[in-house]
Amino acid sequence: MSLRSRQVHLDFHTSEKIENIGEKFNKEQFQAALKKGHVNSITLFSKCHHGWSYHPTEANEMHPHLSFDLLGAQIEAAHEIGVKTPVYLSAGLDEKTAHRHPEWLVRNADESTTWAKSFAEPGYHKLCMASPYLEVLMRQIEEVCRNYDADGIFLDIAGVQPCYCQNCIAEREALGMDAYDDEAVIEHAESIYRRYAEAARAAVDKYKPGLPLFHNGGHIRQGRRDLAHYNTHLELESLPTGGWGYDHFPFSARYCNGLGMEYLGMTGKFHSSWGEFGGFKHPNALRYEVSLAAANGAKSSVGDQLAPCGEMDMVTYELIGTAYAELEKKEPWLDGAEQIADIAVVSPEACRGTLNTSQSTQVDETGSGVSRIMLEGKYLFDVVDLEAELDGYKVAVLPDVVRIDEEFEKKLKAFCRNGGKLLATGRSGLKADKDEFCFDLGAEWIGKNPYRPDYFRPEAKIAGMGETGYVMYGEGERISCTGTELGRREDPYFNRAREHFCSHLHTPDSGKYGGPGMTEGDDGIYIAWSIFSDYGTSGSLADKQIVMFALDRLLGGEKTVVTTLPAQGVVTFTEQPDRYICHLLYASPVKRGSGVEIIEDIIPICDTFVSVKTDKRISRAYLAPQNEELPFEYRNGRTEVRLSKFECHQMIVFDKDISGGF
């Protein structure tokens, strides 16, 4: 299977209260929109959240105000111009069925429903896959695969869902479980999802063996490869303005890169999020989001929503075409490119030991903080789980919450023996069952630091930091030093409390030595604060400077890409058989309204220096897709170029010298 690179996800959630459904659908107009948008795949609707089908059906009911086979007409029109057509069915939401069978709904422990809390408010209600609804859904999937030339199946609102409906209660009791025990509820929910996913695969394979299949739950769970592999590929739903923000996609993509599956980044044309009519983001935002996906090895999908009349909005496809026309020209330097990374970031989500079952749209504070520092520091990184192989990485980062079990300890110790280095922060690096470090990080753990906030004073020379105490808002740990002390902790006079406080915010630095704050041992460096979650919430410049000092020290000058690209810029580095490609991106989101991140202006970036260290000597450097030659110098084992100006996204291509060696 090879995913198409320029996709549209065409929502069509249409109330039964609206008449004349699809009356303005026109094959030529539909095709003209796809051509204007440079679209090569479009996901079309069989069944929407309201529960209606958009084609003749025996397994469901066609929308009461649709008079023809809309799905069939759309597939025929798309295929006629070489556009693929995955087909969408709403799995977890079916409002028609919810009203007819409220006993099939997912229930919370207090009997309330999920999504809409009751039928007294507008909104959808989620259906339970332990109910007879599962068989209803499977018949609908089979019907689509039997009757239509679908190029894939997309099942929405699907995931592990704890449930207290009477079907689930009865099933847990029959299995000898405590029906209300939290662990039993999760264990049962996992088995229900397995049953659903296996049934869906069987329903598809009955008529279309091996057809691409994806279950969408709003976020790819890090550390849950078993869930990921129920899919043939991954679609990373990540609408920056819809609640995901611009931190979510890069962190999610860098995890999916290691799963051995094709993946695409799904954004939207909307100003806000799904379900919006008449809202448009700025073309520059879509250009950047599509380019960001490409730079991270992902294909692209842009969400749109078809009007009830069935007429495609040409303004939307002009907007999408602005981004996809650029992407189409770049594809020769994207196809089959492998991502290169120096650093493995161990996913905090994969290590927490809990399953978030909500439609998650945001990276947690620790993940957000580590992602931002990696991106702003221009480090090449992957996000890994405990199953990942660490060969090929130079540094492994254990952010804040990564306690170490026996198996992972063996893997990390082998990594260190082979020359790898560790950066651990907060409670990371401690044994899972004992408060002592697994590795030589130059520290022994004493206990939780009683002062918060407190202060860090560098002992080593750290770029941008002087000889003073820098406030540390994150939770701190008390340690003793068994190696090299790179920075010290200084205590405040006291914690801020009712009976004693000082000034407006927190108590000043007393200058009193509170123990080591950053240490180094044979295996790496330890920072005695939850510095990544701190950066994720406070954005303190000192946090980033401390982490970058530690990473640069551990990399020892072996950073694959060095660049003067400003902090908001993003850099990735990929390899094709005969060349390397350095991606530079720059856009600066601003906050509008109630914290919505917007990209409008694209600022040209001038005089950008880039230095790359490669396994092969370079014979030529040029800009793609412009095919414009770029002068380069080879100095101290690195290839150096200087880019006079670029905007939004630029690829610098380094052709390998086929004569070999240096």
Side-chain angles (χ1 to χ4, degrees):
M1 183 192 74
S2 181
L3 282 179
R4 290 286 178 95
S5 58
R6 290 170 273 116
Q7 302 196 26
V8 161
H9 186 97
L10 189 63
D11 261 11
F12 197 51
H13 301 293
T14 309
S15 168
E16 65 278 4
K17 303 296 184 181
I18 298 177
E19 299 182 351
N20 304 316
I21 302 303
E23 68 172 358
K24 291 187 178 180
F25 172 80
N26 175 276
K27 181 176 79 170
E28 289 74 22
Q29 195 266 347
F30 184 77
Q31 292 174 333
L34 298 182
K35 291 175 182 178
K36 181 176 282 291
H38 293 255
V39 175
N40 58 15
S41 179
I42 183 166
T43 301
L44 302 169
F45 267 43
S46 164
K47 186 187 81 167
C48 73
H49 287 346
H50 291 276
W52 304 108
S53 291
Y54 296 93
H55 54 83
T57 174
E58 295 178 357
N60 192 22
E61 296 174 41
M62 193 162 78
H63 193 289
H65 301 296
L66 176 66
S67 61
F68 69 103
D69 186 350
L70 177 59
L71 175 63
Q74 290 173 323
I75 290 175
E76 180 183 354
H79 282 179
E80 193 172 282
I81 58 172
V83 175
K84 285 193 172 183
T85 57
V87 173
Y88 173 106
L89 294 97
S90 179
L93 303 178
D94 181 326
E95 196 62 11
K96 166 175 55 65
T97 299
H99 279 263
R100 295 175 183 177
H101 292 284
E103 73 278 12
W104 293 357
L105 293 178
V106 170
R107 300 280 174 173
N108 297 313
D110 64 359
E111 300 290 333
S112 62
T113 57
T114 61
W115 287 57
K117 296 303 180 186
S118 74
F119 287 101
E121 60 183 79
Y124 305 115
H125 302 79
K126 195 170 185 181
L127 286 146
C128 179
M129 297 299 175
S131 74
Y133 172 68
L134 178 65
E135 292 303 317
V136 172
L137 177 62
M138 295 306 116
R139 288 195 297 272
Q140 294 168 355
I141 296 170
E142 288 182 10
E143 182 179 65
V144 170
C145 293
R146 181 176 66 246
N147 294 343
Y148 292 96
D149 188 14
D151 293 308
I153 297 293
F154 185 108
L155 299 175
D156 202 8
I157 320 299
V160 179
Q161 175 65 65
C163 180
Y164 297 84
C165 75
Q166 290 307 304
N167 295 290
C168 284
I169 295 293
E171 190 168 312
R172 287 199 288 273
E173 288 177 342
L175 292 168
M177 294 176 161
D178 180 341
Y180 289 90
D181 176 74
D182 290 346
E183 290 187 9
V185 170
I186 289 291
E187 180 184 346
H188 182 242
E190 296 263 3
S191 70
I192 294 300
Y193 183 74
R194 271 196 308 275
R195 185 192 307 169
Y196 148 80
E198 290 167 0
R201 183 71 260 174
V204 171
D205 288 346
K206 186 174 181 179
Y207 296 101
K208 296 283 180 67
L211 191 72
L213 171 63
F214 178 67
H215 306 273
N216 185 46
H219 174 67
I220 305 303
R221 306 291 169 200
Q222 295 176 8
R224 293 304 306 270
R225 294 180 178 224
D226 55 334
L227 299 182
H229 285 286
Y230 283 124
N231 306 289
T232 54
H233 65 284
L234 301 174
E235 305 198 17
L236 281 58
E237 186 178 0
S238 189
L239 283 65
T241 56
W244 284 259
Y246 279 97
D247 283 342
H248 180 270
F249 175 76
F251 203 66
S252 189
R254 301 315 303 159
Y255 174 70
C256 293
N257 180 60
L259 296 181
M261 306 172 71
E262 285 192 274
Y263 56 101
L264 59 81
M266 180 189 289
T267 184
K269 68 96 179 181
F270 317 106
H271 166 69
S272 58
S273 193
W274 298 110
E276 178 183 65
F277 291 100
F280 301 88
K281 64 179 44 164
H282 195 281
N284 283 337
L286 201 55
R287 289 176 60 212
Y288 177 76
E289 290 158 19
V290 166
S291 297
L292 185 64
N296 281 281
K299 309 296 176 65
S300 280
S301 176
V302 177
D304 179 27
Q305 178 145 247
L306 184 65
C309 68
E311 183 178 30
M312 299 283 269
D313 184 87
M314 297 305 286
V315 173
T316 293
Y317 287 85
E318 184 176 353
L319 168 64
I320 293 172
T322 301
Y324 276 177
E326 291 183 8
L327 180 61
E328 189 172 10
K329 294 176 183 177
K330 298 171 183 175
E331 285 169 356
W333 295 272
L334 303 175
D335 295 339
E338 297 288 334
Q339 297 283 324
I340 293 174
D342 294 329
I343 296 171
V345 175
V346 180
S347 165
E349 181 183 347
C351 297
R352 291 188 186 276
T354 59
L355 179 68
N356 180 357
T357 58
S358 67
Q359 286 282 105
S360 175
T361 59
Q362 293 180 317
V363 180
D364 65 16
E365 293 167 356
T366 302
S368 178
V370 70
S371 177
R372 286 255 48 94
I373 291 177
M374 293 293 141
L375 293 171
E376 292 170 10
K378 309 300 175 286
Y379 297 101
L380 304 181
F381 72 103
D382 284 333
V383 179
V384 303
D385 56 28
L386 305 188
E387 298 177 53
E389 295 302 322
L390 300 177
D391 298 343
Y393 297 109
K394 299 164 186 172
V395 173
V397 177
L398 312 177
D400 296 357
V401 296
V402 183
R403 302 289 293 249
I404 310 298
D405 65 20
E406 188 174 339
E407 286 302 310
F408 198 44
E409 180 178 354
K410 291 178 183 176
K411 182 176 289 190
L412 288 173
K413 285 187 172 177
F415 172 71
C416 293
R417 283 196 300 272
N418 291 328
K421 294 292 184 180
L422 305 177
L423 173 61
T425 65
R427 295 288 178 93
S428 288
L430 296 172
K431 293 179 181 290
D433 57 357
K434 193 174 183 181
D435 289 331
E436 63 180 45
F437 287 110
C438 302
F439 316 103
D440 180 5
L441 303 174
E444 287 186 358
W445 191 79
I446 296 173
K448 179 180 175 180
N449 181 44
Y451 294 107
R452 185 175 180 184
D454 55 4
Y455 296 83
F456 173 85
R457 182 180 293 268
E459 300 283 357
K461 181 64 177 175
I462 299 179
M465 301 184 79
E467 296 182 9
T468 189
Y470 292 85
V471 66
M472 303 295 288
Y473 297 102
E475 184 173 87
E477 311 298 325
R478 288 268 184 195
I479 58 171
S480 60
C481 182
T482 60
T484 301
E485 186 170 331
L486 301 173
R488 58 184 281 171
R489 177 196 312 282
E490 292 182 344
D491 295 333
Y493 288 95
F494 42 73
N495 283 327
R496 188 176 178 89
R498 178 192 59 80
E499 63 273 19
H500 44 66
F501 65 91
C502 181
S503 192
H504 302 295
L505 201 58
H506 52 253
T507 310
D509 186 356
S510 70
K512 180 181 177 182
Y513 180 66
M518 178 164 58
T519 60
E520 184 175 28
D522 288 344
D523 294 331
I525 291 174
Y526 174 71
I527 300 171
W529 286 272
S530 294
I531 198 166
F532 291 113
S533 63
D534 186 6
Y535 193 68
T537 53
S538 74
S540 170
L541 181 60
D543 289 341
K544 180 167 70 173
Q545 290 166 330
I546 294 166
V547 171
M548 288 179 60
F549 164 81
L551 288 173
D552 291 344
R553 187 177 178 96
L554 294 173
L555 287 168
E558 293 297 306
K559 196 175 182 182
T560 297
V561 177
V562 175
T563 177
T564 58
L565 189 64
Q568 196 63 40
V570 173
V571 61
T572 66
F573 198 60
T574 65
E575 182 177 9
Q576 290 176 320
D578 58 349
R579 59 197 175 198
Y580 303 96
I581 304 98
C582 183
H583 294 261
L584 304 177
L585 299 100
Y586 190 88
S588 186
V590 297
K591 295 291 181 69
R592 299 274 176 83
S594 299
V596 179
E597 290 185 298
I598 298 293
I599 290 175
E600 182 174 353
D601 299 319
I602 295 289
I603 308 299
I605 302 300
C606 298
D607 193 27
T608 304
F609 170 80
V610 177
S611 168
V612 300
K613 186 176 179 62
T614 59
D615 292 336
K616 298 290 185 181
R617 191 178 180 93
I618 301 305
S619 63
R620 178 191 178 211
Y622 64 97
L623 303 179
Q626 303 97 311
N627 200 27
E628 178 183 321
E629 294 291 327
L630 195 61
F632 69 93
E633 292 185 8
Y634 186 72
R635 183 181 292 115
N636 299 324
R638 305 182 68 91
T639 304
E640 299 177 350
V641 298
R642 192 170 291 276
L643 186 58
S644 61
K645 180 180 174 182
F646 81 94
E647 67 161 41
C648 191
H649 176 221
Q650 181 61 65
M651 295 183 291
I652 304 175
V653 184
F654 299 92
D655 281 350
K656 299 177 183 178
D657 186 341
I658 58 174
S659 64
F662 285 91

PDB file of all heavy atoms in Angstrom, residues 118-140:
ATOM      1  N   SER A 118     -27.041  14.306  27.915  1.00  0.00           N
ATOM      2  CA  SER A 118     -28.432  13.864  27.956  1.00  0.00           C
ATOM      3  C   SER A 118     -29.046  14.159  26.596  1.00  0.00           C
ATOM      4  O   SER A 118     -28.409  14.736  25.717  1.00  0.00           O
ATOM      5  CB  SER A 118     -29.210  14.598  29.056  1.00  0.00           C
ATOM      6  OG  SER A 118     -29.466  15.938  28.668  1.00  0.00           O
ATOM      7  N   PHE A 119     -30.302  13.782  26.423  1.00  0.00           N
ATOM      8  CA  PHE A 119     -31.003  14.093  25.178  1.00  0.00           C
ATOM      9  C   PHE A 119     -31.666  15.460  25.234  1.00  0.00           C
ATOM     10  O   PHE A 119     -32.364  15.850  24.297  1.00  0.00           O
ATOM     11  CB  PHE A 119     -32.039  13.013  24.870  1.00  0.00           C
ATOM     12  CG  PHE A 119     -31.425  11.716  24.402  1.00  0.00           C
ATOM     13  CD1 PHE A 119     -31.279  10.645  25.280  1.00  0.00           C
ATOM     14  CD2 PHE A 119     -30.981  11.579  23.105  1.00  0.00           C
ATOM     15  CE1 PHE A 119     -30.701   9.458  24.853  1.00  0.00           C
ATOM     16  CE2 PHE A 119     -30.402  10.394  22.669  1.00  0.00           C
ATOM     17  CZ  PHE A 119     -30.264   9.337  23.548  1.00  0.00           C
ATOM     18  N   ALA A 120     -31.447  16.189  26.313  1.00  0.00           N
ATOM     19  CA  ALA A 120     -32.042  17.517  26.453  1.00  0.00           C
ATOM     20  C   ALA A 120     -31.162  18.605  25.851  1.00  0.00           C
ATOM     21  O   ALA A 120     -31.535  19.770  25.848  1.00  0.00           O
ATOM     22  CB  ALA A 120     -32.304  17.820  27.929  1.00  0.00           C
ATOM     23  N   GLU A 121     -29.965  18.227  25.345  1.00  0.00           N
ATOM     24  CA  GLU A 121     -29.063  19.202  24.751  1.00  0.00           C
ATOM     25  C   GLU A 121     -28.669  18.743  23.363  1.00  0.00           C
ATOM     26  O   GLU A 121     -28.698  17.544  23.053  1.00  0.00           O
ATOM     27  CB  GLU A 121     -27.813  19.378  25.619  1.00  0.00           C
ATOM     28  CG  GLU A 121     -27.000  18.109  25.820  1.00  0.00           C
ATOM     29  CD  GLU A 121     -25.813  18.312  26.753  1.00  0.00           C
ATOM     30  OE1 GLU A 121     -26.022  18.330  27.972  1.00  0.00           O
ATOM     31  OE2 GLU A 121     -24.684  18.455  26.237  1.00  0.00           O
ATOM     32  N   PRO A 122     -28.330  19.681  22.455  1.00  0.00           N
ATOM     33  CA  PRO A 122     -27.933  19.272  21.106  1.00  0.00           C
ATOM     34  C   PRO A 122     -26.574  18.596  21.136  1.00  0.00           C
ATOM     35  O   PRO A 122     -25.676  19.003  21.875  1.00  0.00           O
ATOM     36  CB  PRO A 122     -27.870  20.604  20.350  1.00  0.00           C
ATOM     37  CG  PRO A 122     -27.606  21.630  21.403  1.00  0.00           C
ATOM     38  CD  PRO A 122     -28.296  21.150  22.637  1.00  0.00           C
ATOM     39  N   GLY A 123     -26.432  17.547  20.366  1.00  0.00           N
ATOM     40  CA  GLY A 123     -25.157  16.852  20.320  1.00  0.00           C
ATOM     41  C   GLY A 123     -25.337  15.363  20.143  1.00  0.00           C
ATOM     42  O   GLY A 123     -26.451  14.828  20.179  1.00  0.00           O
ATOM     43  N   TYR A 124     -24.211  14.687  19.964  1.00  0.00           N
ATOM     44  CA  TYR A 124     -24.208  13.252  19.707  1.00  0.00           C
ATOM     45  C   TYR A 124     -24.035  12.462  20.999  1.00  0.00           C
ATOM     46  O   TYR A 124     -23.545  12.968  22.011  1.00  0.00           O
ATOM     47  CB  TYR A 124     -23.072  12.898  18.742  1.00  0.00           C
ATOM     48  CG  TYR A 124     -23.101  13.663  17.443  1.00  0.00           C
ATOM     49  CD1 TYR A 124     -22.075  14.566  17.122  1.00  0.00           C
ATOM     50  CD2 TYR A 124     -24.128  13.489  16.522  1.00  0.00           C
ATOM     51  CE1 TYR A 124     -22.083  15.260  15.920  1.00  0.00           C
ATOM     52  CE2 TYR A 124     -24.146  14.188  15.320  1.00  0.00           C
ATOM     53  CZ  TYR A 124     -23.122  15.071  15.025  1.00  0.00           C
ATOM     54  OH  TYR A 124     -23.132  15.762  13.844  1.00  0.00           O
ATOM     55  N   HIS A 125     -24.403  11.188  20.929  1.00  0.00           N
ATOM     56  CA  HIS A 125     -24.277  10.256  22.060  1.00  0.00           C
ATOM     57  C   HIS A 125     -23.524   9.028  21.578  1.00  0.00           C
ATOM     58  O   HIS A 125     -23.867   8.461  20.539  1.00  0.00           O
ATOM     59  CB  HIS A 125     -25.662   9.872  22.585  1.00  0.00           C
ATOM     60  CG  HIS A 125     -26.486  11.031  23.034  1.00  0.00           C
ATOM     61  ND1 HIS A 125     -27.165  11.844  22.144  1.00  0.00           N
ATOM     62  CD2 HIS A 125     -26.727  11.528  24.280  1.00  0.00           C
ATOM     63  CE1 HIS A 125     -27.802  12.789  22.820  1.00  0.00           C
ATOM     64  NE2 HIS A 125     -27.557  12.620  24.106  1.00  0.00           N
ATOM     65  N   LYS A 126     -22.517   8.617  22.328  1.00  0.00           N
ATOM     66  CA  LYS A 126     -21.642   7.541  21.879  1.00  0.00           C
ATOM     67  C   LYS A 126     -22.244   6.169  22.134  1.00  0.00           C
ATOM     68  O   LYS A 126     -22.812   5.911  23.207  1.00  0.00           O
ATOM     69  CB  LYS A 126     -20.275   7.652  22.564  1.00  0.00           C
ATOM     70  CG  LYS A 126     -19.194   6.805  21.909  1.00  0.00           C
ATOM     71  CD  LYS A 126     -17.823   7.140  22.487  1.00  0.00           C
ATOM     72  CE  LYS A 126     -16.719   6.398  21.761  1.00  0.00           C
ATOM     73  NZ  LYS A 126     -15.389   6.681  22.327  1.00  0.00           N
ATOM     74  N   LEU A 127     -22.077   5.281  21.152  1.00  0.00           N
ATOM     75  CA  LEU A 127     -22.626   3.927  21.230  1.00  0.00           C
ATOM     76  C   LEU A 127     -21.572   2.937  21.694  1.00  0.00           C
ATOM     77  O   LEU A 127     -20.377   3.075  21.390  1.00  0.00           O
ATOM     78  CB  LEU A 127     -23.169   3.509  19.868  1.00  0.00           C
ATOM     79  CG  LEU A 127     -24.493   4.211  19.522  1.00  0.00           C
ATOM     80  CD1 LEU A 127     -24.596   4.480  18.042  1.00  0.00           C
ATOM     81  CD2 LEU A 127     -25.663   3.384  20.017  1.00  0.00           C
ATOM     82  N   CYS A 128     -22.025   1.930  22.429  1.00  0.00           N
ATOM     83  CA  CYS A 128     -21.134   0.924  23.014  1.00  0.00           C
ATOM     84  C   CYS A 128     -21.004  -0.277  22.084  1.00  0.00           C
ATOM     85  O   CYS A 128     -22.006  -0.819  21.605  1.00  0.00           O
ATOM     86  CB  CYS A 128     -21.667   0.481  24.378  1.00  0.00           C
ATOM     87  SG  CYS A 128     -20.639  -0.793  25.158  1.00  0.00           S
ATOM     88  N   MET A 129     -19.776  -0.714  21.868  1.00  0.00           N
ATOM     89  CA  MET A 129     -19.526  -1.847  20.984  1.00  0.00           C
ATOM     90  C   MET A 129     -19.781  -3.193  21.660  1.00  0.00           C
ATOM     91  O   MET A 129     -19.646  -4.240  21.021  1.00  0.00           O
ATOM     92  CB  MET A 129     -18.087  -1.790  20.457  1.00  0.00           C
ATOM     93  CG  MET A 129     -17.792  -0.577  19.602  1.00  0.00           C
ATOM     94  SD  MET A 129     -18.836  -0.508  18.125  1.00  0.00           S
ATOM     95  CE  MET A 129     -18.327   1.086  17.451  1.00  0.00           C
ATOM     96  N   ALA A 130     -20.153  -3.179  22.937  1.00  0.00           N
ATOM     97  CA  ALA A 130     -20.579  -4.419  23.593  1.00  0.00           C
ATOM     98  C   ALA A 130     -22.074  -4.658  23.402  1.00  0.00           C
ATOM     99  O   ALA A 130     -22.600  -5.684  23.821  1.00  0.00           O
ATOM    100  CB  ALA A 130     -20.253  -4.370  25.086  1.00  0.00           C
ATOM    101  N   SER A 131     -22.751  -3.715  22.775  1.00  0.00           N
ATOM    102  CA  SER A 131     -24.188  -3.815  22.538  1.00  0.00           C
ATOM    103  C   SER A 131     -24.451  -4.443  21.165  1.00  0.00           C
ATOM    104  O   SER A 131     -23.525  -4.615  20.358  1.00  0.00           O
ATOM    105  CB  SER A 131     -24.809  -2.418  22.587  1.00  0.00           C
ATOM    106  OG  SER A 131     -24.493  -1.688  21.413  1.00  0.00           O
ATOM    107  N   PRO A 132     -25.700  -4.737  20.842  1.00  0.00           N
ATOM    108  CA  PRO A 132     -26.027  -5.248  19.494  1.00  0.00           C
ATOM    109  C   PRO A 132     -25.663  -4.293  18.363  1.00  0.00           C
ATOM    110  O   PRO A 132     -25.673  -4.689  17.195  1.00  0.00           O
ATOM    111  CB  PRO A 132     -27.546  -5.465  19.573  1.00  0.00           C
ATOM    112  CG  PRO A 132     -27.818  -5.714  21.024  1.00  0.00           C
ATOM    113  CD  PRO A 132     -26.869  -4.813  21.756  1.00  0.00           C
ATOM    114  N   TYR A 133     -25.330  -3.050  18.710  1.00  0.00           N
ATOM    115  CA  TYR A 133     -24.940  -2.087  17.676  1.00  0.00           C
ATOM    116  C   TYR A 133     -23.728  -2.573  16.884  1.00  0.00           C
ATOM    117  O   TYR A 133     -23.583  -2.261  15.697  1.00  0.00           O
ATOM    118  CB  TYR A 133     -24.625  -0.731  18.319  1.00  0.00           C
ATOM    119  CG  TYR A 133     -24.017   0.264  17.350  1.00  0.00           C
ATOM    120  CD1 TYR A 133     -24.767   0.792  16.296  1.00  0.00           C
ATOM    121  CD2 TYR A 133     -22.684   0.661  17.476  1.00  0.00           C
ATOM    122  CE1 TYR A 133     -24.200   1.690  15.401  1.00  0.00           C
ATOM    123  CE2 TYR A 133     -22.112   1.560  16.585  1.00  0.00           C
ATOM    124  CZ  TYR A 133     -22.875   2.069  15.551  1.00  0.00           C
ATOM    125  OH  TYR A 133     -22.316   2.942  14.661  1.00  0.00           O
ATOM    126  N   LEU A 134     -22.841  -3.354  17.514  1.00  0.00           N
ATOM    127  CA  LEU A 134     -21.648  -3.836  16.818  1.00  0.00           C
ATOM    128  C   LEU A 134     -22.031  -4.585  15.547  1.00  0.00           C
ATOM    129  O   LEU A 134     -21.437  -4.368  14.483  1.00  0.00           O
ATOM    130  CB  LEU A 134     -20.823  -4.737  17.744  1.00  0.00           C
ATOM    131  CG  LEU A 134     -19.567  -5.354  17.121  1.00  0.00           C
ATOM    132  CD1 LEU A 134     -18.554  -4.269  16.761  1.00  0.00           C
ATOM    133  CD2 LEU A 134     -18.940  -6.380  18.055  1.00  0.00           C
ATOM    134  N   GLU A 135     -23.029  -5.457  15.636  1.00  0.00           N
ATOM    135  CA  GLU A 135     -23.444  -6.229  14.468  1.00  0.00           C
ATOM    136  C   GLU A 135     -24.068  -5.330  13.408  1.00  0.00           C
ATOM    137  O   GLU A 135     -23.882  -5.537  12.201  1.00  0.00           O
ATOM    138  CB  GLU A 135     -24.418  -7.331  14.883  1.00  0.00           C
ATOM    139  CG  GLU A 135     -23.789  -8.425  15.722  1.00  0.00           C
ATOM    140  CD  GLU A 135     -22.609  -9.084  15.003  1.00  0.00           C
ATOM    141  OE1 GLU A 135     -22.727  -9.350  13.779  1.00  0.00           O
ATOM    142  OE2 GLU A 135     -21.569  -9.307  15.648  1.00  0.00           O
ATOM    143  N   VAL A 136     -24.793  -4.323  13.843  1.00  0.00           N
ATOM    144  CA  VAL A 136     -25.383  -3.360  12.911  1.00  0.00           C
ATOM    145  C   VAL A 136     -24.272  -2.677  12.110  1.00  0.00           C
ATOM    146  O   VAL A 136     -24.336  -2.570  10.876  1.00  0.00           O
ATOM    147  CB  VAL A 136     -26.229  -2.317  13.671  1.00  0.00           C
ATOM    148  CG1 VAL A 136     -26.692  -1.201  12.738  1.00  0.00           C
ATOM    149  CG2 VAL A 136     -27.423  -2.982  14.352  1.00  0.00           C
ATOM    150  N   LEU A 137     -23.256  -2.210  12.812  1.00  0.00           N
ATOM    151  CA  LEU A 137     -22.146  -1.516  12.166  1.00  0.00           C
ATOM    152  C   LEU A 137     -21.404  -2.434  11.206  1.00  0.00           C
ATOM    153  O   LEU A 137     -21.041  -2.028  10.092  1.00  0.00           O
ATOM    154  CB  LEU A 137     -21.191  -0.965  13.226  1.00  0.00           C
ATOM    155  CG  LEU A 137     -19.923  -0.270  12.720  1.00  0.00           C
ATOM    156  CD1 LEU A 137     -20.272   0.969  11.893  1.00  0.00           C
ATOM    157  CD2 LEU A 137     -19.009   0.107  13.889  1.00  0.00           C
ATOM    158  N   MET A 138     -21.177  -3.677  11.594  1.00  0.00           N
ATOM    159  CA  MET A 138     -20.445  -4.596  10.726  1.00  0.00           C
ATOM    160  C   MET A 138     -21.202  -4.851   9.422  1.00  0.00           C
ATOM    161  O   MET A 138     -20.602  -4.954   8.348  1.00  0.00           O
ATOM    162  CB  MET A 138     -20.166  -5.924  11.437  1.00  0.00           C
ATOM    163  CG  MET A 138     -19.223  -5.795  12.632  1.00  0.00           C
ATOM    164  SD  MET A 138     -17.640  -4.980  12.243  1.00  0.00           S
ATOM    165  CE  MET A 138     -17.756  -3.498  13.243  1.00  0.00           C
ATOM    166  N   ARG A 139     -22.527  -4.948   9.481  1.00  0.00           N
ATOM    167  CA  ARG A 139     -23.308  -5.131   8.256  1.00  0.00           C
ATOM    168  C   ARG A 139     -23.181  -3.913   7.338  1.00  0.00           C
ATOM    169  O   ARG A 139     -23.137  -4.039   6.106  1.00  0.00           O
ATOM    170  CB  ARG A 139     -24.781  -5.389   8.596  1.00  0.00           C
ATOM    171  CG  ARG A 139     -25.044  -6.758   9.202  1.00  0.00           C
ATOM    172  CD  ARG A 139     -26.516  -7.114   9.172  1.00  0.00           C
ATOM    173  NE  ARG A 139     -27.332  -6.198   9.971  1.00  0.00           N
ATOM    174  CZ  ARG A 139     -27.586  -6.355  11.272  1.00  0.00           C
ATOM    175  NH1 ARG A 139     -27.059  -7.397  11.927  1.00  0.00           N
ATOM    176  NH2 ARG A 139     -28.353  -5.500  11.924  1.00  0.00           N
ATOM    177  N   GLN A 140     -23.091  -2.732   7.944  1.00  0.00           N
ATOM    178  CA  GLN A 140     -22.930  -1.515   7.148  1.00  0.00           C
ATOM    179  C   GLN A 140     -21.573  -1.483   6.453  1.00  0.00           C
ATOM    180  O   GLN A 140     -21.460  -1.079   5.284  1.00  0.00           O
ATOM    181  CB  GLN A 140     -23.113  -0.286   8.046  1.00  0.00           C
ATOM    182  CG  GLN A 140     -24.526  -0.140   8.597  1.00  0.00           C
ATOM    183  CD  GLN A 140     -24.636   0.890   9.711  1.00  0.00           C
ATOM    184  OE1 GLN A 140     -23.636   1.444  10.160  1.00  0.00           O
ATOM    185  NE2 GLN A 140     -25.864   1.143  10.166  1.00  0.00           N
TER     186      GLN A 140
END
